[in-house]
Amino acid sequence: MDEARNEMAFVFPGMGPTPFDEVSRFMLTNPFARRRIAAADEVLGYSLVRRYREAGGEYTEYAQVAFLVNCLALADWHTDRQELRPAAVTGPSFGGKAAAVWAGSLGFADAVRMTAGYARLMTDYFRTHHTDVVTQSFARTPPERLREILAELDEAGEWYDISCYIDDDFTMLSLREGRLGWLERRLRSLGGLPLYTLRPPMHSSAFGELRRRAAAEVVAGMPFADPAIPLVGDLDGTVQSTGAQVRDLMLDGFVRPVRWPDVVATLRGLGVGTLHVTGTDSLFTRVPGTTTAFTVVGINPRTAMQPRRRVAV
Amino acid sequence: MWDAQFEEIMRRYVPFLDADEPLDPDASLRELGLDSMGIIEMMGTLEAAYDVRFLDEVLHLQTFATARTLWRSVSEMAEAVA
């Protein structure tokens, strides 16, 4: 690691399944979490904790809002106990909303409204649109192997779209579900490891109507300020300097792929050598492209619930 | 059941197993803390250690369900290249 990269950046993670039991203690007893939850409850008009506890399903509206709230509460808690301030902030995929809040561009109440609104809209939209499309993640598939697979899909006249560039050999691809079995076999034959199938799919140019509805039904009227600290966009790694850019970023994620390696490159260019990951992340900040570029420090509900070490005098 | 090298590699990727606790061949590796990123990293380590390559049917998450299922796959691959 070169000597000039002394800065730290916050990363608000993409969302992963989080059973209520994993975060219940943090949500119920951490003062920063309780403060954020109280503010979220006012916006939502219901008890987030109660709905999250009672509703099943990994990606319900409640699970999504809880993930946003917990990530921001972890950042609050972490900021309270250390002097170091982030030189930049970013959030791949779902984490973009929390990153926009931390950068001072999007108000917390609006981020809660946006998260709940997007969750409801996506449930409604994918009930009748693209019902045969899934997004598949896979690892151990370097670019030349991926090109072979995509060429075969082209040859067969199959529709596909790359939804997420996670690392050099780690990708998410959207395609019709009928082709999934073929894709998994083809990946394995090349040494690739198929991981998770996302239903509904995400991040594809095919979802233009979803973006239009999100702009009209959810984001309309929400103010966006110019970011107060550099906010690195997850779609191409550019630093967002105006509120209008951040607004577009919040919407373009529906129709454009996440390009995490571009974010890594920008953060390095900003002199960042350490990432503080404010939330549980099992993807972006764990791939070699990230871990070889930065020192990665996890700030998660488990670390937040450990007793603070006292220094003997 | 397996060799010392396998035991040492496994222990690196199951953070919830204490150092003085035996590795149960049928314990769920997921419950011992092995997640998908751990699987990917461990595969690379096993491939280098045993000079094998995970391909085709072995590339299912079920291969990594327990130490027993994983060792079966690794030892079969190692025998095939021997």
Side-chain angles (χ1 to χ4, degrees):
Chain A
M1 223 167 274
D2 66 57
E3 68 287 350
R5 295 196 296 112
N6 297 322
E7 302 285 1
M8 179 273 279
F10 272 180
V11 179
F12 290 91
M15 188 180 169
T18 314
F20 178 72
D21 289 350
E22 260 179 38
V23 289
S24 57
R25 231 179 108 220
F26 174 73
M27 293 183 81
L28 293 169
T29 63
N30 181 283
F32 298 95
R34 289 168 60 103
R35 203 169 304 147
R36 288 278 184 188
I37 290 166
D41 283 355
E42 287 225 351
V43 174
L44 296 164
Y46 59 73
S47 161
L48 178 62
V49 169
R50 189 173 308 141
R51 296 264 180 117
Y52 183 27
R53 186 176 54 216
E54 289 169 1
E58 294 172 337
Y59 293 97
T60 60
E61 170 188 329
Y62 320 120
Q64 292 192 37
V65 177
F67 195 85
L68 170 95
V69 166
N70 288 342
C71 289
L72 286 164
L74 284 164
D76 294 337
W77 169 78
H78 186 57
T79 301
D80 181 62
R81 58 199 284 278
Q82 63 148 27
E83 305 259 305
L84 192 61
R85 293 291 172 260
V89 60
T90 190
S93 194
F94 185 91
K97 293 184 277 296
V101 171
W102 201 264
S105 182
L106 177 63
F108 175 68
D110 279 336
V112 170
R113 277 184 206 104
M114 186 189 286
T115 303
Y118 279 7
R120 285 178 213 152
L121 174 62
M122 285 173 71
T123 301
D124 181 57
Y125 177 81
F126 286 113
R127 192 174 289 138
T128 51
H129 295 74
H130 313 290
T131 52
D132 61 340
V133 174
V134 296
T135 301
Q136 177 67 38
S137 65
F138 46 89
R140 293 168 48 102
T141 311
E144 63 277 13
R145 297 294 193 205
L146 181 58
R147 272 196 296 275
E148 273 180 52
I149 290 174
L150 299 184
E152 288 170 34
L153 286 170
D154 281 333
E155 208 170 300
E158 282 288 336
W159 176 85
Y160 65 83
D161 207 3
I162 293 184
S163 295
C164 196
Y165 298 85
I166 301 165
D167 206 352
D168 286 344
D169 65 349
F170 201 147
T171 308
M172 288 190 191
L173 184 72
S174 293
L175 78 172
R176 297 199 189 283
E177 189 153 18
R179 265 285 169 171
L180 192 56
W182 173 86
L183 176 70
E184 289 175 334
R185 281 191 300 280
R186 197 71 188 90
L187 285 165
R188 290 187 176 108
S189 75
L190 297 169
L193 178 68
L195 286 165
Y196 301 107
T197 308
L198 303 178
R199 299 180 181 85
M202 54 191 356
H203 307 302
S204 167
S205 58
F207 308 152
E209 171 67 7
L210 177 61
R211 186 200 186 282
R212 190 197 61 74
R213 283 188 59 188
E217 296 172 24
V218 182
V219 176
M222 284 185 187
F224 288 86
D226 296 344
I229 55 173
L231 170 63
V232 181
D234 61 335
L235 304 179
D236 56 12
T238 55
V239 174
Q240 314 291 301
S241 47
T242 69
Q245 285 177 331
V246 178
R247 180 186 176 280
D248 285 345
L249 180 70
M250 298 294 109
L251 289 165
D252 287 347
F254 285 114
V255 293
R256 289 175 56 191
V258 170
R259 293 179 181 273
W260 181 248
D262 292 356
V263 176
V264 168
T266 299
L267 290 172
R268 285 173 64 93
L270 291 171
V272 171
T274 304
L275 302 182
H276 286 186
V277 185
T278 49
T280 303
D281 181 40
S282 54
L283 190 59
F284 295 95
T285 58
R286 295 193 50 203
V287 294
T290 311
T291 55
T292 54
F294 307 104
T295 302
V296 177
V297 180
I299 318 296
N300 55 53
R302 202 177 306 148
T303 53
M305 295 313 290
Q306 281 165 356
R308 195 182 290 209
R309 198 176 300 157
R310 287 179 188 279
V311 179
V313 202
Chain B
M1 155 141 223
W2 47 66
D3 63 21
Q5 180 174 240
F6 183 79
E7 173 94 16
E8 188 271 318
I9 292 171
M10 293 299 297
R11 284 182 176 276
R12 273 190 244 166
Y13 296 98
V14 286
F16 303 152
L17 183 73
D18 289 338
D20 57 354
E21 213 179 324
L23 176 58
D24 177 349
D26 298 311
S28 157
L29 294 180
R30 179 163 288 273
E31 281 174 22
L32 291 176
L34 179 69
D35 64 6
S36 37
M37 292 309 298
I39 287 175
I40 295 163
E41 212 179 303
M42 185 171 66
M43 281 169 76
T45 309
L46 288 168
E47 287 182 333
Y50 290 94
D51 195 21
V52 295
R53 175 114 173 101
F54 284 83
L55 277 175
D56 296 313
E57 288 316 299
V58 184
L59 281 163
H60 281 273
L61 294 180
Q62 299 94 289
T63 302
F64 304 86
T66 66
R68 187 191 298 279
T69 57
L70 181 55
W71 173 248
R72 190 184 303 140
S73 297
V74 170
S75 50
E76 281 172 10
M77 287 189 288
E79 263 174 43
V81 293

